[in-house]
Amino acid sequence: MRTGLILGIESSCDETAAAVVREGRETLSSIVASQIATHARYGGVVPELASREHLRNIMPVVRAALTEANITLDDLDAIAVTEGPGLAGALLVGISYAKSLAFPLNKPLIAINHLEGHIHAVLLEQAQIQGDALPLPAIALVVSGGHTHLYLARQQHKSWHYKNIGHTVDDAAGEAFDKVAKLLGLGYPGGPWIDALAPHGNPAAVPFSFAQIKPKVYRKETQRHNFSQQFFFSFSGIKTAVLRYVQTHEMAASIEARRSTLARIPNPRAADALPLCDEQTLGLIASFQRAVVEDLRRKTFQAAETFGAASILVSGGVAANRELRVRFTAEAADRGLPVAFPSLALSTDNAAMIAAAAWPKLLASEFASPELTAVASLPLGT
Amino acid sequence: MTQATGTRVHEFETSSAADTIRVGREIVKLLAPPKFLILKGDLGAGKTTLVKGIAEALDAAEPDEVTSPTFTLIHEYEGTRHEGGKDEPVMLYHLDLYRIEQERQLDTLGLDEISTPDSIVLVEWGDKFPSVVKRANGEIVMKTTGGDSRKITVALRD
């Protein structure tokens, strides 16, 4: 008898995570190793960027997910695991463990693309909270420290289909936040620091501009994939522009003073940095964030118009940015388009999104072969 | 120029990102596998841009597909090296160890597995770890020389 319960396992990069989700719409448990580091009852989980740590975490994390969901392995309809993209060694830990659970129990194994997972993090919560699904097709912006991708997401019969219509050609948006925060002597990850400080500065203080991505820079025709470069992103230039601004305005001494003051505070927060930032610094921070958010907003909504999307969803760590949410929500309202974001817990890497993305694949009987292996640079869609 | 014996040094000047990509394509001629090179340069020096040119010349990726590995740690491209009238398969790896804090975390990246006879490995922040420096048989150093100009130095040990 079908229970609709899927165990999801995610170990593509920094996080080891496991979750149990029913029918892609009800989260029974969602365990992320770094978030239970202090829960000794789960066997002393150590969050760390190493396959060895994934190996150490995977069993306690899966056990915790089953315990919290109050089910046993026998109750599961399937086991889903991230196939890629990510670090091969880290992915293999999750894949090997998922296989070792699935085969002896004779449960289907389902392979999930990490980026598809991020899209389903939003769909899962929409179904959970709103009770009804987003109108399709949707433009999905997946934006994090490692990714900045635009997809057109559609559903045909039971299966989901994705068309990649844009991506960054250099740095991910989240990486730009990290690097600018570091340049200015703030903490890591940079996003929350910049987000908290930006409202205190003048977003028009520094005029940043995004040069159009120029195909002529490159020798070969880059139209091979037949997608318009209109929806390509580039965040390397703004990072360099911030560096030049800091140099030409001789801000090095004040940045160093801020860095060393923050280094003396245990677990410093953005509130600790605010009194250490002058008006010029706050203006730079506000202008940087405004420029990045506006670039993401403009291209996402242009894509929605071009492809006739009926809704917009934003996922990944940068989806937690408050200015991004405000400006996307405002423009969506103007255009009469529904827009959806994940909760903070589901915007960063987690396994509930993997289990949720697996449900339509279970219905369509799209199962992984026993030879499933890690694909470090797995693309999503066509 | 004083250099340790057995080290060949090649220098390039570029004046724009497009120029840096062009030099990347040119540098490929010097990179007969196996190569394991530390890729040095400050923020904004153009490290990812240079790798775009290298990947393109190897038919490993379009320039637009080569992105920064800072968060993802390792990017892998499968290509072909066209030298001396022959086509040899080559694996290009672009790594960034910026987020790696301890020597033991390097295990995750499987440096032994990627250091194959047919590989070109470019490692940003590689000089953070003595074991990585020891493994390297050269380095590429990128310096900003004002505005969009860059000086690129390729030092290869025999």
Side-chain angles (χ1 to χ4, degrees):
Chain A
M1 202 180 69
R2 187 164 268 182
T3 59
L5 295 172
I6 297 179
L7 170 70
I9 296 174
E10 151 72 31
S11 65
S12 65
C13 199
D14 296 24
E15 297 285 9
T16 328
V20 177
V21 175
R22 192 196 308 271
E23 296 181 355
R25 51 189 302 133
E26 185 194 351
T27 307
L28 276 66
S29 65
S30 179
I31 309 289
V32 178
S34 66
Q35 289 162 15
I36 61 160
T38 52
H39 291 213
R41 72 186 177 106
Y42 293 133
V45 162
V46 186
E48 217 171 300
L49 184 74
S51 315
R52 198 183 294 170
E53 308 305 338
H54 282 299
L55 207 51
R56 201 151 90 192
N57 290 341
I58 190 112
M59 285 178 65
V61 163
V62 167
R63 200 179 310 132
L66 294 171
T67 306
E68 215 159 275
N70 201 18
I71 63 159
T72 68
L73 284 168
D74 286 328
D75 299 323
L76 295 170
D77 270 350
I79 292 160
V81 66
T82 308
E83 178 186 11
L87 288 169
L91 288 163
L92 271 175
V93 172
I95 291 172
S96 309
Y97 191 63
K99 283 184 187 178
S100 78
L101 293 177
F103 298 148
L105 291 164
N106 204 18
K107 306 273 186 197
L109 180 70
I110 299 175
I112 299 295
N113 183 305
H114 180 80
L115 296 162
E116 178 175 23
H118 274 301
I119 293 171
H120 280 264
V122 181
L123 300 172
L124 163 67
E125 285 188 320
Q126 279 298 112
Q128 207 155 258
I129 303 162
Q130 312 283 346
D132 53 337
L134 276 178
L136 298 173
I139 288 289
L141 171 67
V142 181
V143 59
S144 66
H147 306 283
T148 305
H149 290 283
L150 273 176
Y151 295 100
L152 181 66
R154 272 172 306 197
Q155 209 176 9
Q156 268 170 355
H157 306 295
K158 288 167 186 163
S159 302
W160 282 84
H161 298 271
Y162 309 92
K163 183 183 171 70
N164 180 209
I165 54 177
H167 61 84
T168 180
V169 300
D170 40 51
D171 297 358
E175 182 181 343
F177 274 92
D178 287 342
K179 290 197 167 160
V180 165
K182 180 170 193 285
L183 261 176
L184 298 175
L186 304 169
Y188 180 88
W193 289 77
I194 303 263
D195 192 14
L197 294 170
H200 301 277
N202 171 12
V206 186
F208 290 115
S209 64
F210 280 91
Q212 286 301 306
I213 312 287
K214 298 184 195 76
K216 64 171 186 264
V217 168
Y218 308 123
R219 182 185 56 179
K220 289 182 187 167
E221 266 304 307
T222 47
Q223 302 291 349
R224 190 203 272 174
H225 301 298
N226 198 26
F227 50 84
S228 160
Q229 297 188 322
Q230 188 184 356
F231 304 119
F232 280 15
F233 299 96
S234 168
F235 295 108
S236 178
I238 193 167
K239 165 192 80 181
T240 315
V242 171
L243 174 67
R244 282 198 193 150
Y245 184 92
V246 162
Q247 288 167 341
T248 54
H249 292 78
E250 291 168 0
M251 295 165 74
S254 72
I255 289 168
E256 194 40 50
R258 180 161 54 243
R259 194 192 314 277
S260 58
T261 306
L262 287 173
R264 286 195 296 273
I265 302 172
N267 303 317
R269 307 174 71 94
D272 300 314
L274 182 57
L276 305 171
C277 295
D278 58 12
E279 192 185 328
Q280 188 180 38
T281 304
L282 292 169
L284 179 60
I285 289 170
S287 303
F288 162 77
Q289 175 165 291
R290 172 64 54 89
V292 172
V293 166
E294 284 299 279
D295 188 58
L296 292 168
R297 180 192 59 77
R298 203 167 45 243
K299 287 174 184 160
T300 303
F301 283 89
Q302 265 169 16
E305 197 174 304
T306 303
F307 292 92
S311 65
I312 286 178
L313 66 89
V314 189
S315 194
V318 180
N321 184 280
R322 283 173 289 186
E323 184 166 355
L324 182 146
R325 289 186 179 227
V326 168
R327 298 187 84 82
F328 272 65
T329 304
E331 172 138 9
D334 282 351
R335 291 178 181 244
L337 280 178
V339 62
F341 308 92
S343 64
L344 189 60
L346 284 199
S347 57
T348 50
D349 290 354
N350 65 86
M353 67 186 200
I354 303 303
W359 173 246
K361 291 191 196 294
L362 177 64
L363 293 180
S365 299
E366 290 174 32
F367 301 134
S369 87
E371 285 82 40
L372 177 70
T373 189
V375 185
S377 52
L378 184 70
L380 174 63
T382 51
Chain B
M1 188 169 294
T2 51
Q3 286 293 334
T5 9
T7 301
R8 285 163 298 133
V9 178
H10 308 263
E11 288 184 345
F12 304 85
E13 309 264 347
T14 74
S15 58
S16 66
D19 213 13
T20 299
I21 291 181
R22 180 189 57 76
V23 166
R25 291 198 294 261
E26 222 165 284
I27 283 175
V28 167
K29 299 190 184 88
L30 307 170
L31 304 183
K35 285 285 176 289
F36 191 103
L37 309 177
I38 311 276
L39 177 55
K40 289 186 195 171
D42 291 338
L43 184 147
K47 299 181 289 290
T48 297
T49 307
L50 186 76
V51 178
K52 285 177 188 286
I54 293 173
E56 191 187 21
L58 295 170
D59 289 333
E62 296 292 323
D64 283 346
E65 295 165 354
V66 174
T67 57
S68 164
T70 301
F71 191 85
T72 38
L73 305 175
I74 177 163
H75 287 171
E76 178 186 318
Y77 309 95
E78 211 177 314
T80 311
R81 195 162 173 273
H82 320 276
E83 289 303 322
K86 280 194 296 185
D87 283 355
E88 300 281 352
V90 61
M91 288 302 298
L92 174 66
Y93 296 95
H94 182 196
L95 281 74
D96 189 339
L97 307 187
Y98 177 72
R99 296 200 312 128
I100 306 273
E101 282 162 4
Q102 292 156 5
E103 183 89 32
R104 61 189 193 90
Q105 294 177 315
L106 287 173
D107 289 358
T108 307
L109 303 178
L111 295 182
D112 283 334
E113 285 79 33
I114 66 178
S115 306
T116 54
D118 65 347
S119 72
I120 298 171
V121 184
L122 305 170
V123 188
E124 296 186 29
W125 290 88
D127 40 350
K128 259 169 86 172
F129 300 100
S131 71
V132 174
V133 173
K134 207 173 142 198
R135 197 186 276 269
N137 55 8
E139 63 177 28
I140 300 177
V141 182
M142 302 188 68
K143 281 209 170 83
T144 306
T145 49
D148 289 331
S149 302
R150 304 286 187 272
K151 186 177 166 190
I152 303 166
T153 309
V154 182
L156 303 171
R157 283 195 292 279
D158 293 336

